[in-house]
Amino acid sequence: MDWSVFCRIVDSLHFANYDGWFAFHNYNEPLYNERLLDEIAVVRERLPQAKPCIYTNGDRLDAEMHQKLCSLGVRNIRVTLYTSAQKSNKPSFSPIWEWLTYKDLDKVGNWQESLARQGLALEVLDECHTQVILPDLSKYYDRGGIISSLSTQARMKPCYLTSNSMAIDYKGHIKMCCNVVEARDDHKAFILGNAATDELMSIWRSDTLERMRALHLRAQWASTPICQKCRQEVDP
C-alpha cells in the first residue's frame, strides 16, 4: 500500500477515536512487508487504544521477530501452518510442537494445547496472544464463492461483518468485507470506494453500506449473491 494512503487511513481512524482491532493482512503475508514494523509504530502512536494483530503463515516468524512484534504492542499473532500433516486422518499437536522448536519459539511463553475454530492449536495467553494453528481446511470459508468446494449449502443465518469491520486491500480499495477480491469480476460491484480519495467514515456511514447491513442482518443475499453460501461467522 502506498505510504500516504496508509497514513490517511490511520488519520481517519484517529479522528474517529478508533479502539478496535487493526489487522495488517488481507490475502497477503504481512511479515514480507519490509515496512511492517514502521506501520505498527504509526498505529501505536496515532491509535493508542487500537489493538494491532498479525495473521501469518509463519515463514518469517522466529523468536526475534516475535519479540519485536510484541514489544511494539501487537496484541494478537495468529500463525496458520499449511503442512502435509493437515491431510492426516488423525490430527496431532506434534507438528505444531516441532515447528515451534524449529523456529526457536518454544520458549517464548507457556504454550497450551487448545482447539480453535480452524483446527488444533497451541497458544500463549499473554498480553500478546499468540496462536499457532494446524488447520482443518474443511472448516474454512469459500471466500465469496472463490473456493467452490467449500460452498456447501445456502446460508440461512445473518452476517455481521458489514456491521463490525472494514476491509481495505493494498490498492486502497474499501471492500464490502474481507472476502471480496477486486480482481474477480463477480466481486467488483462490492468495492465501495478507495481510501486514497474517499473518507473512511463517509463510506462507513454511506447509504449503500447501510442497505447492505440491513439486508445481511435479515440473511437476505439477493443484492450480494457472493454471500449466498458464505460460512463466515457461522461455524463455531
Side-chain angles (χ1 to χ4, degrees), residues 6 9 22-24 26 29 32-33 51 59 62 96 104 129 139 141-142 144 154 158 179 184 202 204 213 216 227:
F6 176 79
I9 292 169
F22 192 109
F24 292 83
N26 186 227
E29 172 48 56
Y32 275 94
N33 175 8
K51 300 181 285 289
D59 286 354
D62 54 21
I96 314 178
D104 199 28
H129 177 203
K139 296 182 179 179
Y141 306 136
D142 74 341
N179 293 296
R184 294 265 306 193
S202 295
W204 183 251
R213 288 185 186 118
H216 291 182
C227 305

Side-chain angles (χ1 to χ4, degrees), residues 197-212:
T197 55
D198 298 308
E199 289 294 332
L200 260 61
M201 293 303 105
S202 295
I203 299 295
W204 183 251
R205 301 185 181 108
S206 67
D207 292 342
T208 297
L209 194 46
E210 286 293 341
R211 285 193 296 270
M212 286 181 177

